[in-house]
Structure formats: C-alpha cells, structure tokens
Amino acid sequence: NGVFTDAYPEVGVLLEAEPLGGGASLAASCTATLIGCHTVITAAHCFCREYGDASSCLAAGQPEAVWERTLFGLQHAGAFEIESVAIQPQYRGT
C-alpha cells in the first residue's frame, strides 16, 4: 500500500519471468536491497515459496529453480542476472 518513490535508489525489485503465450513477461515478485557491490538481501520466502524450512527448500532445489528465471532490477541501473542465492540455515517459513 505504498507509493512510488525514487528516494531509495538501493532498493530494487526481483523480476520473475512468467510464460505468456509465445513469449514471456516479467512480474515483480519481491523487493530486495543492494547491500554491497554484488550483494542483495531479500526475504527467504522469495526463493523458498513451497517449503517451510531452509533444509527442505535447499534439498528440493527450489532456490535455483526460482533464481534461474529471476532478475534483480534497479530503477537507475537496469536489470541484472542473479549469480547465486544463499538461504539462512535457520529459515522457517510462516
């Protein structure tokens, strides 16, 4: 329920490719914040949607399945491919 702003240039969006007929489109799935030159932080549920804990998510290969079709977008810099995802080992979904 927020409003659009450009006041926080380090905050970006995870853009997930969604099949659409003969092509694909990008849909915003989560926000993420740039915390280093090549490091972004976001919520674990953005990559572990179907699993309630980190070990189940990692064992099923869920993070890879999601990040392979996801880009990180910054409003002033464009979209970037995700190289890897690390899930906090104590992650427990809601």
Side-chain angles (χ1 to χ4, degrees):
N1 297 337
V3 295
F4 289 107
T5 180
D6 61 0
Y8 306 98
E10 71 280 5
V11 177
V13 63
L14 296 177
L15 299 166
E16 190 171 338
E18 295 183 342
L20 182 67
S25 66
L26 293 173
S29 61
C30 283
T31 59
T33 303
L34 188 65
I35 60 170
C37 293
H38 300 277
T39 306
V40 170
I41 190 167
T42 191
H45 72 259
C46 298
F47 291 94
C48 291
R49 297 184 192 132
E50 299 174 22
Y51 301 91
D53 61 71
S55 61
S56 298
C57 176
L58 294 169
Q62 183 70 29
E64 292 88 352
V66 175
W67 101 54
E68 288 176 351
R69 64 176 189 268
T70 303
L71 299 172
F72 172 61
L74 286 169
Q75 60 185 335
H76 299 294
F80 302 88
E81 291 182 358
I82 296 171
E83 186 175 302
S84 65
V85 171
I87 303 298
Q88 205 272 353
Q90 286 80 30
Y91 167 69
R92 301 276 182 262
T94 56

